[in-house]
Amino acid sequence: MRPRRFLPTGPLKGRIRVPGDKSISHRSIMLGALAVGETKVTGLLEGEDVLSTAAAMRAMGATVTRTGEGAWTVNGVGVGALLQPEAPLDMGNSGTSTRLLMGLVASHPITATFIGDGSLSKRPMGRVIDPLSEMGASFEASEGGRLPLILKGASPAVPIRYRLPMASAQVKSAILLAGLNTPGITTVIEPVPTRDHSERMLRGFGADLTVETDADGARVISIRGEAELEPQTIEVPGDPSSAAFFIVAALVIPGSEVLIENVGLNPTRAGIVEVLRQMGGSIEEVNPREVGGEPVADLLVRHSALKGIDVDPAIVPAMVDEFPVLFVAAALAEGVTTTTGLEELRVKESDRISVMATALAAAGATVRETEDGLIITGTGGEPLVGTNGTIATHLDHRIAMSMAVAGLASRAGVEVDDVRPIATSFPVFETMLEGLTA
Ligand code: S3P
């Protein structure tokens, strides 16, 4: 464990460029590994989660090489030609690697064992086991459909038409990736839209993928199997989920003004910006453009007096990873912020509803936990008291970074028990923070 106390700070000033988007980075390596020829990726997130994906694709036959900072090449084996891995695939802390790779393996004639750390081994995999079993794959999972598990792929797999029982881009993507090597048409029906990076990138690699809206407004996504993917050149935009920590920090620390460059603003991801603006946050989009087929802008963020709001549950999927840091903003806003519809947060790297309720209360915030959210009464801009003891982060990077931001806006500082998990998604978080407070 590496504990650290995050101390109160003066204004944050300067410009930063956050690392590449985690979701897009995973997908660029996976699809590159399935194309025949060389895919070139720049701006790749070199976090532990993405490195787990890279190692797994190597173990299944792809050549994945780092050629410079954030610059990687992937020489793929072709759809249908993944090799049997010789050792268990170690997914570390990464749910995205696990669920998406389960999809890939499910329609290949190979058997793979998936293992992970203490956090990942508590997370539910039944949500992908169910549809992939319908496609013909077989599983030997640990109790409750958890890791470690052994997956035997089906050859050929059977195409399915599957309605997602929860809003999950990982489950959607697992099925679409399984569909790549399944004869016929595999369809996923998504009643509530989630991040669409898989759809965008599959199309970019030349897959035959269509998206329609049915009479009930659900998205119907179909992919034609036994696809041939063409290698691509991909520029990964900056991760809005990483930017969110600095957006909130700049909003809550008086006198701050920070320019965050190259932030991905795909509408299925950018909910945090909208909600913080509803709370009164000054977030200006500068130089809007397109990077790697995704909308991107630089964000100019200035300290603002935030007000509590009722967060519309319809926006949850577009900011599902940003609630821990939104809770910190709410704890420092004026009035009450109410969040509902967050049940999926309980099955992330930790139970983010209950872990953040405990953490914020320990730092002096007024928080009430409900079944599906938190109700937070803010300080009206006054700093939080800070912690005496140590916050338990439960191997969850976003808890550690969120409580780091809380520490910056406190009187006594906030101590977290372990900053190591930050490296799963944002290895340079602490360095960037030091640059802005110097
Ligand atoms: C992700 C989807 C989301 C998100 C995760 C990344 C993805 O998970 O929380 O960090 O890349 O598809 P769910 O699909 O479980 O909501």
Side-chain angles (χ1 to χ4, degrees):
M1 299 261 246
R2 192 155 69 81
R4 175 166 171 193
R5 191 162 195 88
F6 290 90
L7 296 171
T9 176
L12 302 186
K13 295 267 186 196
R15 59 166 69 201
I16 53 172
R17 197 178 172 85
V18 289
D21 188 279
K22 182 152 72 74
S23 292
I24 297 174
S25 295
H26 281 298
R27 287 157 171 83
S28 65
I29 291 182
M30 291 179 195
L31 295 190
L34 287 174
V36 179
E38 183 166 283
T39 287
K40 288 190 163 69
V41 188
T42 53
L44 188 92
L45 169 66
E46 294 173 336
E48 288 167 3
D49 281 9
V50 176
L51 300 181
S52 297
T53 289
M57 296 322 300
R58 280 192 197 108
M60 292 191 280
T63 306
V64 186
T65 313
R66 184 177 194 261
T67 58
E69 203 189 317
W72 291 64
T73 58
V74 185
N75 279 280
V77 294
V79 171
L82 289 179
L83 301 181
Q84 167 79 43
E86 282 169 13
L89 301 176
D90 188 351
M91 304 283 93
N93 187 255
S94 178
T96 309
S97 307
T98 309
R99 297 194 176 115
L100 272 57
L101 291 176
M102 282 169 71
L104 283 184
V105 170
S107 60
H108 278 76
I110 58 178
T111 298
T113 301
F114 290 83
I115 59 172
D117 74 4
S119 154
L120 185 59
S121 303
K122 288 188 195 140
R123 299 180 66 186
M125 297 300 152
R127 51 181 60 200
V128 280
I129 293 175
D130 290 348
L132 298 177
S133 300
E134 281 184 34
M135 295 180 82
S138 46
F139 294 84
E140 266 174 62
S142 301
E143 177 154 6
R146 285 166 222 276
L147 263 45
L149 68 75
I150 303 171
L151 193 183
K152 186 166 180 289
S155 177
V158 187
I160 58 170
R161 189 178 171 86
Y162 192 79
R163 193 178 175 89
L164 292 176
M166 74 289 288
S168 169
Q170 291 179 357
V171 178
K172 167 176 70 177
S173 302
I175 300 166
L176 294 175
L177 291 176
L180 271 177
N181 195 40
T182 302
I185 295 186
T186 296
T187 299
V188 183
I189 302 163
E190 187 179 54
V192 183
T194 65
R195 66 190 69 195
D196 64 356
H197 307 300
S198 295
E199 295 93 306
R200 286 176 190 245
M201 202 183 283
L202 280 162
R203 274 213 183 117
F205 273 79
D208 180 357
L209 180 141
T210 58
V211 183
E212 285 161 9
T213 307
D214 73 9
D216 304 329
R219 290 176 81 239
V220 181
I221 309 147
S222 297
I223 187 163
R224 181 181 294 277
E226 303 192 294
E228 271 177 43
L229 300 184
E230 309 238 317
Q232 299 297 309
T233 298
I234 298 172
E235 194 181 342
V236 180
D239 197 326
S241 300
S242 296
F245 300 105
F246 288 105
I247 298 175
V248 170
L251 288 175
V252 299
I253 296 167
S256 297
E257 182 169 324
V258 176
L259 184 72
I260 310 173
E261 295 173 350
N262 191 40
V263 183
L265 292 175
N266 179 316
T268 63
R269 292 288 300 284
I272 183 70
V273 174
E274 194 178 322
V275 166
L276 289 169
R277 282 187 184 136
Q278 287 169 14
M279 294 174 78
S282 166
I283 307 170
E284 208 178 300
E285 278 166 44
V286 187
N287 187 18
R289 56 202 184 271
E290 209 172 89
V291 173
E294 300 267 347
V296 160
D298 303 331
L299 299 181
L300 181 61
V301 188
R302 296 190 183 89
H303 169 252
S304 308
L306 299 180
K307 300 179 304 285
I309 60 166
D310 288 350
V311 179
D312 180 355
I315 204 165
V316 172
M319 56 176 289
V320 70
D321 291 333
E322 283 65 75
F323 279 93
V325 78
L326 177 75
F327 296 149
V328 175
L332 291 152
E334 185 181 337
V336 179
T337 295
T338 305
T339 53
T340 51
L342 306 187
E343 29 299 88
E344 276 294 305
L345 263 72
R346 296 206 186 269
V347 290
K348 295 296 179 190
E349 286 82 329
S350 69
D351 175 343
R352 288 180 173 163
I353 299 181
S354 109
V355 170
M356 281 305 292
T358 307
L360 280 174
T366 308
V367 189
R368 188 156 72 78
E369 180 176 345
T370 63
E371 219 163 276
D372 65 341
L374 291 184
I375 301 170
I376 300 175
T377 307
T379 59
E382 289 301 309
L384 294 165
V385 178
T387 56
N388 273 325
T390 302
I391 300 293
T393 53
H394 300 270
L395 290 176
D396 188 335
H397 54 135
R398 298 200 204 282
I399 303 295
M401 290 185 277
S402 299
M403 292 313 294
V405 173
L408 305 176
S410 71
R411 279 189 225 288
V414 166
E415 181 161 314
V416 301
D417 62 352
D418 195 4
V419 289
R420 290 173 315 166
I422 293 174
T424 60
S425 70
F426 199 169
V428 295
F429 172 77
E430 289 173 275
T431 325
M432 269 188 187
L433 183 58
E434 268 135 40
L436 289 175
T437 55

